[in-house]
Each structure stands twice: as structure tokens, then as C-alpha cells.
Amino acid sequence: MTTLHERTTAPPVPPAARRSPAAPLLALLWAGAAAAVAAWWLNAGSVVGTAGWLTNAGRIAGLLCGYACAVLVGMMARVPLLERRIGSDRVARWHAMAGRYTVCLLVAHIVLILTGYAAQDGASFVHETLTVVLDYPDMLKATAGTVILFAVGITSARAVRRRVGFEFWYYVHLLTYLAVFLTFFHQVQLGTDLTGGGPVQAAWYALYLGVAALVVWFRVLVPVRLNLRHRLRVESVHQEAAGVWSVVVRGRRLDELGAQAGQFFRWRFLTEGMWWTSTPYSLSAPPRPDLMRITVKSLGDHSAAVPLLRPGVRVWAEGPYGSLTADRRTAPKALLIGGGVGITPLRALFETLPGEVTLLYRASRSEDLALGGELEAIARWRGAKVLYALNGADGRRPTFTAGSLRRAVPDLAAHDVYLCGPHGFARDLYEALRAAGVPDRRIHHESFEL
């Protein structure tokens, strides 16, 4: 059996913590929104009457919606600056929030423009809608794109998302690219603020072409190069606990990927029933020049099929992604808190993170402590501590409060805390850590709720 936890050297000295580019990036995005409104202001002229106010409000909503669509696609492009420096989970939350605003702006644009046109022409709303859709240039394509955007928004709503499979949601979400392409042309053909070939139109083309270039480069060309160069294959599969399996993947010159403990890849196994979906799994051991390992809990169709993988199966991977790495460390002591399968990236960090490290592992039963033997061996090797939070004999779940955390780790406020687990678990722990006096800048967390 191939393993990945042989250690021959001491943990490396941590690099200096890098400042997150999140705040400057958000400021840049808001500046872009302001520029979109400025484009309307420069071309607005005088606004007269109800029809004029409605139409111009619709123009503003349309400009902001078009800008937001470009931003949404840019967030989906898996740009390393976003995925590794800001964090994939944080970018995913930005994307979800921006998506809701985009749908609201789209509805406002449609209703305001059509109502304004109807008032201007003295026609009914329905008649004006049919006239615009059927007679205006590029409006049939824009209508098709709008329907797709609404479908994406509906399937992304939490109540709907819980009832549909990941694969269905994922492929509907990919249609966003088609929707943005279809709606782009009516923007530059009919948008009063974007026609005429001036600097505003040039900037709009530059925005959309730039975002398209990011998508082609980081979602197509970079993954193709990675997989042709490193030629990944399944080396072995073995069980860690009930419903938890580790997959060791072999490849060439994997050190050139620059993967760090705490990061993840998006994995596609090229075998029957698994090739059609790409799923994020964290590295559960520090990567080696020829081997990487992931550990997966059976929670859905894709993860449940992992035990069926056989050595030699080709693997298509994208990454590395994630910012839960040693780069974020600011203090000489660290507390790692993992819940369930969230232990996987922390197991890799537990081995490599320099300084004094304590690991707190939350699981329902002792039988569910995946990688427990490795964690104990690492703790003995580096003189670290492993703490467990298990359900009581009566099934009662342990509660995490500021007091209980301080009792477990007396100088808790002097620690960096790395937190990984289900969204609700991470949220409750974050609140308890803040109440215990841990500064926000020292709480580093990743949680994924697709």
C-alpha cells in the first residue's frame, strides 16, 4: 500500500504572512459599478416625464446588470489571485451574493424599460413587450439569454439547490456563459450609453473580452497544460474509516504544481460514471514530487463511487486552489479545528505547519475518526497535541463555547486558528472563537456549501 506520511525533515520555516487582496479588489469592483453609472450620466441629457424617468432608471439597471454579469463570469474563471489569495469559499460567497443582485437588476431593467417604453408609446405592457422582443435587433437572443439567467438563479436558490443533484446544478450553472454571450449583443446594439463606437463602448468590449480571456486561459488552457504535463493516474485506494476512503494519485514532476498543505484540487476521474463531473477534494497529506493524496467521505453519487476506482485510472485535475495555508499564519502558535471530513486539509497542515500546534478534531464517534492513527503519529513526532470532541454515550453533541475553547487551549487568543468543516459548524466555531478573544485576522477558515 502506498502511503504519504513518511517524514524525513523538520517542518519548514513559515513564510511571512501575506496581506489579502480582498479589500483592494472589492474597491476596484465598486469603482467599476460607479463607472457604469457615470456612463449613463454622461449620455443622459434631460429626463422629462414619467416615461423618461422609468426608461432612464431601466438604463441604469441595465448597465449595472451588464457589468455584474461580467463580474460574475470573472469570479467563475478560477483566477489564482482569487482562488489562492482570497480563498475559493470566500469567492464562492461573493459570487452567490452578486448573483442575487444581478437577478434583481435584471428584473428591474426589464420591468422599468418596458414600462417606460409602453408609457412613451401609449401602448399596453404586453404589446410593448412583444414589439421589443420580436422587432428590435438581437432581442430574441437576449430573451433566450435572460431565460437561462433566470433558470440559473432559480436552481441556485437554497430551497431548490437542496432538492436537485450537484451535477444538474453544476451544468445548469455552466449555461451562464451562454446566457452572457447571448445578452451581450443587444447591449452594444440597443444600449443608448454603449452605442456610437466611443470610449464607453470600447471599455465595455474590453471588459467582456478581458473576462472571456480569463475564462479561456484559466478554465481551459491551464488545465489542459497541467494534465498533459503531469499525467495523473490513480495509484491506490484504501479505506480510512466507515464511508471514508483515501485515493493516492501518481504523476510526474508534481512539485512544479506549487501545491501546499491545506489546498485542494478539482478532480475528475476518467472512468465510467465519474468522468462527467469535477469535484473539489482537499489534499489530506503534504504533496510529494510523485504522489498526492485525497481523502473522501461518501456523501453523494460521485464520492460514493470513489471506492470503486482502480489503479491506473486516468485523473483530470485542476488546481491547486484554496488559501488555508501556512502563508496566512501570523502567530507562533496555531490551533487547527476540523469537523468531519474537514479534517483532511488540516491533517496535511498538522504535519507541516511550523511552531506549536494543537489539533481539535470533532466527530460523532471514535469509529469516525478518519486518519486518527496518522494524527497521533504526527503528534508524537512533533510534540504536538490532539484533542477530540465526540458525542457523549447518550448521543449528546458537545457544545463549543468561548469558555470551553479557552479551557481546552488556555492561551487561545495568542493562536492562529485554522478552521475547516461544514458551513454551520464553521459558523458556530467562528462566533465562539471571536467571543473567546481571538482576533478576526487570526481566524482562517474554509467551508464549502455548494
Side-chain angles (χ1 to χ4, degrees):
M1 179 182 296
T2 304
T3 60
L4 283 172
H5 54 275
E6 297 87 354
R7 293 169 299 278
T8 58
T9 60
V13 176
R18 293 185 294 176
R19 187 179 181 86
S20 170
L25 179 61
L26 285 175
L28 180 62
L29 293 178
W30 280 111
V37 176
W40 165 81
W41 180 264
L42 293 174
N43 292 280
S46 60
V47 180
V48 179
T50 302
W53 283 104
L54 290 170
T55 303
N56 278 275
R59 287 168 55 189
I60 295 172
L63 282 166
L64 290 173
C65 182
Y67 171 74
C69 283
V71 170
L72 283 175
V73 173
M75 289 182 180
M76 296 169 66
R78 297 178 186 167
V79 179
L81 174 69
L82 303 180
E83 299 283 337
R84 301 177 192 175
R85 296 286 307 281
I86 295 176
S88 298
D89 64 331
R90 191 175 185 183
V91 173
R93 289 193 293 272
W94 286 2
H95 178 81
M97 181 183 300
R100 290 190 286 271
Y101 288 135
T102 302
V103 171
C104 291
L105 287 167
L106 179 60
V107 172
H109 170 62
I110 294 171
V111 172
L112 290 169
I113 283 287
L114 292 176
T115 304
Y117 284 179
Q120 180 178 304
D121 296 340
S124 69
F125 184 85
V126 173
H127 179 271
E128 194 66 34
T129 299
L130 292 174
T131 300
V132 169
V133 171
L134 298 177
D135 296 342
Y136 283 37
D138 294 305
M139 277 306 303
L140 284 175
K141 288 187 290 187
T143 301
T146 298
V147 171
I148 294 172
L149 286 174
F150 280 134
V152 172
I154 290 170
T155 55
S156 298
R158 184 165 298 184
V160 178
R161 176 66 190 91
R162 293 187 182 126
R163 291 170 171 78
V164 300
F166 169 77
E167 291 78 18
F168 177 81
W169 171 87
Y170 175 77
Y171 284 109
V172 169
H173 220 67
L174 283 182
L175 292 175
T176 302
Y177 295 125
L178 176 60
V180 172
F181 174 78
L182 291 172
T183 57
F184 174 77
F185 297 100
H186 97 285
Q187 298 176 44
V188 295
Q189 288 290 334
L190 299 176
T192 305
D193 310 293
L194 301 176
T195 57
V200 174
Q201 188 184 75
W204 207 255
Y205 271 106
L207 172 66
Y208 272 79
L209 290 174
V211 168
L214 291 177
V215 172
V216 171
W217 182 260
F218 290 111
R219 294 207 63 162
V220 179
L221 298 180
V222 169
V224 167
R225 179 183 182 275
L226 183 156
N227 288 280
L228 290 178
R229 183 174 181 81
H230 299 289
R231 299 186 179 276
L232 304 175
R233 291 185 181 272
V234 172
E235 172 78 4
S236 64
V237 181
H238 52 277
Q239 190 169 20
E240 301 287 359
V244 180
W245 297 78
S246 283
V247 180
V248 177
V249 175
R250 181 177 293 277
R252 305 185 305 179
R253 302 188 295 272
L254 299 183
D255 51 320
E256 296 177 4
L257 291 171
Q260 301 180 57
Q263 291 187 308
F264 68 94
F265 287 74
R266 298 179 188 273
W267 305 89
R268 189 187 303 271
F269 298 100
L270 305 184
T271 186
E272 184 179 357
M274 300 184 75
W275 64 267
W276 33 263
T277 188
S278 174
T279 306
Y281 297 127
S282 296
L283 298 175
S284 60
R288 292 184 2 192
D290 59 339
L291 297 173
M292 295 188 291
R293 188 184 73 177
I294 58 175
T295 301
V296 179
K297 184 176 179 64
S298 298
L299 296 173
D301 293 341
H302 188 273
S303 54
V306 165
L308 304 178
L309 291 171
R310 294 293 177 261
V313 168
R314 289 291 302 270
V315 181
W316 184 274
E318 299 176 40
Y321 303 124
S323 61
L324 200 70
T325 66
D327 292 346
R328 299 176 69 175
R329 185 163 182 178
T330 63
K333 299 180 180 180
L335 170 64
L336 315 181
I337 306 178
V341 76
I343 195 64
T344 54
L346 300 186
R347 181 264 178 248
L349 278 171
F350 191 48
E351 179 175 336
T352 59
L353 199 63
E356 183 180 324
V357 181
T358 301
L359 174 67
L360 174 59
Y361 190 173
R362 164 75 181 111
S364 298
R365 309 168 302 164
S366 58
E367 294 85 353
D368 298 326
L369 295 172
L371 308 174
E374 293 183 18
L375 294 172
E376 293 289 349
I378 294 169
R380 290 191 296 270
W381 164 70
R382 64 177 300 164
K385 293 189 294 184
V386 180
L387 309 174
Y388 299 100
L390 306 176
N391 292 354
D394 58 355
R396 184 175 301 175
R397 298 166 60 91
T399 57
F400 295 101
T401 65
S404 65
L405 291 172
R406 278 196 296 258
R407 286 191 294 273
V409 185
D411 56 344
L412 179 60
H415 286 64
D416 272 299
V417 180
Y418 287 77
L419 175 60
C420 189
H423 181 72
F425 168 84
R427 181 191 61 239
D428 293 343
L429 260 296
Y430 176 83
E431 293 173 356
L433 289 165
R434 293 292 289 122
V438 181
D440 180 76
R441 68 181 184 279
R442 287 187 177 172
I443 302 176
H444 318 300
H445 58 92
E446 272 186 347
S447 59
F448 297 92
E449 190 174 69
L450 297 175

